[in-house]
Amino acid sequence: MITRKLFVASLALGAVFSVQAKEITVWSWDPHFNIPIMKQAGEIYRKTHPDVTFNVVDMGKSDVEQKLQTMLASGVTEGLPDIVLLEDNKIQRYIQFYPGAFEPLDGKIDYNVFANQKIATMTYENKIYGIPFDSGVTALFYRKDIIEQAGFSDADMRNLTWDRYIEIGKQVTSKTGKKMLAADPSDNPLVTIMMQSAGSWYFDKDNRPTIANNPVLKAALQYYVKINNAGIVKPVFGWAEATNALNSDKNNVASVITGVWGISTIKAEPNQAGKWRVAEIPIMEGVKGATHASNLGGSSWYVLASSKQKDIAINFLSDIYVHNIDFYQSILKERGAMSSNLLAREGDAYNAPAPYFGNTHIWSDFSDWLKIIPSVNYGIYSDEAGMALIEQLPQILKGKPIDQALSDIEEQVKTQIQ
């Protein structure tokens, strides 16, 4: 029998526990990648902090962005999460449009362990926001068996120029009947990969458009035209067609140039295990600042300044995403999550061979490329510039002078951002 005294004591104990219990709410997306990784991070943290719980909310990426933007614009902080995941090319928009909304973390986080390119995306007015998460470091993924049918070796696929890549693509297409590359003509990732590989973007550090008279962007578009005119491209529309071009042995292509996160899509076809290889992306020969390294995608974690559990949220992110190297080894093995934490590359997982890719050491390669990705200013209007470029691509492929197209793109962007 529960006495009145015992009942009151149990209520008091429950009240103490409810006061002590601290919940961290996280907004994120992707139930197969970001969500389970963050839940795993929370479980690890709770082993030493049992009084902390995690509410990881799974929403679509656009839903996260829309809800966050709506609430920040209204000035309402009640209901905002403690931590939110945002894409690297979007964060400047939030930091600059909503000053004070995100907690600056410089002085609280050891940023020396992260790639410089990631830190640049989250820095504004000498303050650093956020914790770098996954990388979008790019690579040239290619089918070794198809390349060999055309008379080329692994050595032929390393240290390529774009011109040499096109030459090899022509031979692959003529000798095997396979296209060298799949590309969506209504999208621009190949152009942006080339741009960043030479340290260039649509804007300068003051968010002024640098599109017209941009020699790097002009060179990227010239190569884009060359690639499409060479007859080596298989047009794909949407994610389903792009995936099919990689996974189907009937309709597949010989290579794809994308971010490291594309590995999960490539590996979705078990019958192609051992056939794929990885090399650095081609270089824009003769372009100032050009490298074999670039970025496509990637995201980072941010703490809201309005968080009631701000100190705990920061401590959690520091413990797990800055200092827990075993965590990074685990998510690489289980999820293919390539970290931008440079200390993680010292672990066994990053140095282990990848069976699907012929037991080659792809992770150490990605780590090497990650360190040399040129930093760029994504600015606050990358979406507007990207859409303006996409609108011009069909005309450029039909012969519109690139200088004229770039001038038109810049004028459109200036009109939109005024």
Side-chain angles (χ1 to χ4, degrees), residues 40-59:
Q40 180 179 339
E43 290 169 1
I44 295 172
Y45 189 75
R46 277 179 51 78
K47 290 178 181 179
T48 53
H49 300 79
D51 58 328
V52 179
T53 61
F54 289 84
N55 175 28
V56 183
V57 182
D58 182 8
M59 294 187 278

Side-chain angles (χ1 to χ4, degrees), residues 143 243-250 252 262-276 356-357:
R143 281 280 297 268
T243 300
N244 187 55
L246 300 180
N247 298 147
S248 169
D249 270 325
K250 284 187 176 181
N252 69 307
I263 285 178
S264 59
T265 301
I266 292 172
K267 290 177 67 176
E269 179 45 71
N271 293 330
Q272 292 180 3
K275 296 180 180 180
W276 284 92
Y356 193 91
F357 294 89

Side-chain angles (χ1 to χ4, degrees), residues 144-192:
K144 177 182 175 68
D145 55 332
I146 299 175
I147 294 297
E148 288 180 341
Q149 287 176 37
F152 299 101
S153 66
D154 289 329
D156 292 318
M157 299 302 292
R158 301 306 295 254
N159 296 309
L160 290 173
T161 64
W162 282 104
D163 285 320
R164 180 58 178 160
Y165 175 79
I166 293 170
E167 291 174 9
I168 292 174
K170 289 179 178 179
Q171 292 297 313
V172 167
T173 299
S174 66
K175 293 180 179 179
T176 72
K178 304 286 188 181
K179 297 295 186 182
M180 187 65 171
L181 180 71
D184 186 339
S186 64
D187 207 352
N188 64 348
L190 200 57
V191 176
T192 58

Side-chain angles (χ1 to χ4, degrees), residues 164-337:
R164 180 58 178 160
Y165 175 79
I166 293 170
E167 291 174 9
I168 292 174
K170 289 179 178 179
Q171 292 297 313
V172 167
T173 299
S174 66
K175 293 180 179 179
T176 72
K178 304 286 188 181
K179 297 295 186 182
M180 187 65 171
L181 180 71
D184 186 339
S186 64
D187 207 352
N188 64 348
L190 200 57
V191 176
T192 58
I193 287 172
M194 291 182 193
M195 283 176 64
Q196 184 157 357
S197 73
S200 180
W201 203 247
Y202 303 111
F203 305 96
D204 63 16
K205 61 182 179 63
D206 297 314
N207 292 311
R208 293 174 301 200
T210 55
I211 300 170
N213 303 314
N214 183 326
V216 175
L217 179 50
K218 181 176 180 178
L221 287 171
Q222 287 171 334
Y223 279 117
Y224 179 81
V225 172
K226 278 186 182 181
I227 291 169
N228 279 274
N229 288 347
I232 65 173
V233 176
K234 176 184 177 65
V236 292
F237 298 89
W239 185 248
E241 286 190 17
T243 300
N244 187 55
L246 300 180
N247 298 147
S248 169
D249 270 325
K250 284 187 176 181
N251 303 309
N252 69 307
V253 293
S255 70
V256 60
I257 297 169
T258 190
V260 61
W261 40 264
I263 285 178
S264 59
T265 301
I266 292 172
K267 290 177 67 176
E269 179 45 71
N271 293 330
Q272 292 180 3
K275 296 180 180 180
W276 284 92
R277 294 292 186 273
V278 178
E280 61 273 77
I281 65 170
I283 193 171
M284 290 196 291
E285 191 175 27
V287 175
K288 184 179 179 181
T291 69
H292 285 285
S294 190
N295 184 79
L296 182 66
S299 54
S300 299
W301 302 105
Y302 295 86
V303 176
L304 275 297
S306 59
S307 168
K308 295 178 181 178
Q309 308 294 350
K310 186 163 46 183
D311 291 340
I312 297 173
I314 295 170
N315 181 260
F316 157 66
L317 291 172
S318 179
D319 268 12
I320 306 302
Y321 287 92
V322 180
H323 299 292
N324 195 322
I325 304 307
D326 288 339
F327 167 70
Y328 282 117
Q329 305 299 302
S330 174
I331 63 176
L332 179 70
K333 291 177 181 177
E334 296 172 12
R335 306 284 174 184

Side-chain angles (χ1 to χ4, degrees), residues 12 14 20 37 47 49 53 79 84 98 123 126 154 168 172 267 342 349 363 395-396 404:
Q20 292 179 338
I37 286 174
K47 290 178 181 179
H49 300 79
T53 61
V84 64
Y98 308 108
T123 300
N126 298 319
D154 289 329
I168 292 174
V172 167
K267 290 177 67 176
L342 299 178
W363 301 117
Q395 299 303 316
I396 292 172
Q404 182 61 55

